[in-house]
Amino acid sequence: MNDVIAIDGPAASGKSSVARALAARLGWNFVNSGAVYRAFTWAVLQNGTDPADESAVEAVAGELEVTGGLEDGESWVAARGARLGPELDAPETNRAVSLVARVPVIRERAVEQLRGHAMSGPLVMEGRDIGTVVFPDAPWKFYIDASEEVRQSRRAAQGLVDQVAERDRVDSSRKTAPLAVADGAVVIDSSNLDINGVVAAILDHMRAGGFVAAGEAGA
Ligand code: C5P
């Protein structure tokens, strides 16, 4: 397996922007694991299945055609053969995603797809259970947090309707792979830091732990 930096944290903590910037800096692949759960959610909604009905979601999970891959250093997701874009952040997806993501068989399929990305090269992956479940042996684990107020206003600034607190409640209390700080993860509060500030904090921790980025050797 290639090198993995696992970044977890609550909704709108800034982890996606941080993970993308960090991956670009290192020349590694960037994988947004939430997009996979969002793709499953979109497929559930298209199917006419009630996302709140756990057994109904479980019953259709095997039929949902959700695929993904890497292109130009970033992950993509598709459902029913078509790549998904803005539908992933639609208000109805935001409302339903935590309900769909609590279903174990959906998580099994997502985790399998996510682990596959590590075969292609070193990567930065962000989500809720990357350091705890997807890559528990990752050498670098971070948990990015921010106050609920800051997170809510970040979403509003993006023009997105998102029930951040409600998603966190469902994500943290579900039975399978709840949002949690992984053993050995470094917690970074991003409330008063911009993206570059968090990336710098991550790289400082890694360098202190002996990490030398390609191109930085001997520097
Ligand atoms: O990261 P993002 O906000 O796009 O994630 C959307 C939802 O997908 C989360 O609220 C959570 O329910 C689910 N998710 C998850 N495990 C992950 C990533 C996302 O359960 N690793």
Side-chain angles (χ1 to χ4, degrees), residues 33-34 37-38 97-98 101 107 127-130 167 171 174:
S33 69
Y37 294 95
R38 288 171 179 275
V97 66
S98 291
R107 301 203 69 80
R128 303 293 186 293
D129 63 342
I130 310 308
R167 281 210 282 138
D171 292 343
R174 69 182 174 221

Side-chain angles (χ1 to χ4, degrees), residues 68-94:
L70 292 170
E71 190 175 277
D72 296 332
E74 286 212 11
S75 54
W76 55 265
V77 289
R80 297 178 168 183
R83 285 212 197 174
L84 300 177
E87 13 339 41
L88 297 173
D89 295 315
E92 57 272 27
T93 313
N94 283 338

